[in-house]
Amino acid sequence: MTVETTAFGITLIVVVMALVTLATRLGGALLMSFVPISPRVEGFINAMASSVLIAILTPLAVEGDLGARLALASTALLMLLFRKPLPAISAGIAVAALTRYLV
């Protein structure tokens, strides 16, 4: 299947992606409503979230450019120091933007 890269084609792609994202989010919430949350299930969910994050970030750390690597390093350092994710992520974004602007 091919979709032409016209304004309508791009809009169609975005709408389909939004619908698929919404369906997976609602489907996940619906499925989890049938699962009793025991400490074991809660531990699995917490570990799964970390695993997904690591799976996303590892290729970026290995194959990313200097801006991506410095962003990851600064985010990790600030998380270790302050244990507050929002300022750490904001600093990582700023470091990536600054590095890519200067280099």
Side-chain angles (χ1 to χ4, degrees), residues 43-93:
F44 171 76
I45 291 170
N46 289 335
M48 186 174 62
S50 300
S51 300
V52 169
L53 187 61
I54 290 171
I56 292 171
L57 294 179
T58 300
L60 189 63
V62 172
E63 297 177 1
D65 63 350
L66 180 64
R69 291 179 181 164
L70 288 176
L72 285 173
S74 63
T75 303
L77 180 66
L78 291 175
M79 273 300 296
L80 290 173
L81 289 175
F82 302 113
R83 300 197 180 276
K84 294 190 177 193
L86 192 56
I89 293 170
S90 299
I93 291 170

Side-chain angles (χ1 to χ4, degrees), residues 2-75:
T2 59
V3 177
E4 293 184 29
T5 54
T6 61
F8 176 73
I10 293 171
T11 303
L12 180 66
I13 291 170
V14 170
V15 168
V16 169
M17 289 172 46
L19 290 175
V20 169
T21 301
L22 182 65
T24 57
R25 298 262 176 154
L26 293 176
L30 178 68
L31 287 176
M32 286 306 294
S33 69
F34 296 108
V35 176
I37 304 295
S38 65
R40 186 175 180 161
V41 171
E42 188 174 346
F44 171 76
I45 291 170
N46 289 335
M48 186 174 62
S50 300
S51 300
V52 169
L53 187 61
I54 290 171
I56 292 171
L57 294 179
T58 300
L60 189 63
V62 172
E63 297 177 1
D65 63 350
L66 180 64
R69 291 179 181 164
L70 288 176
L72 285 173
S74 63
T75 303

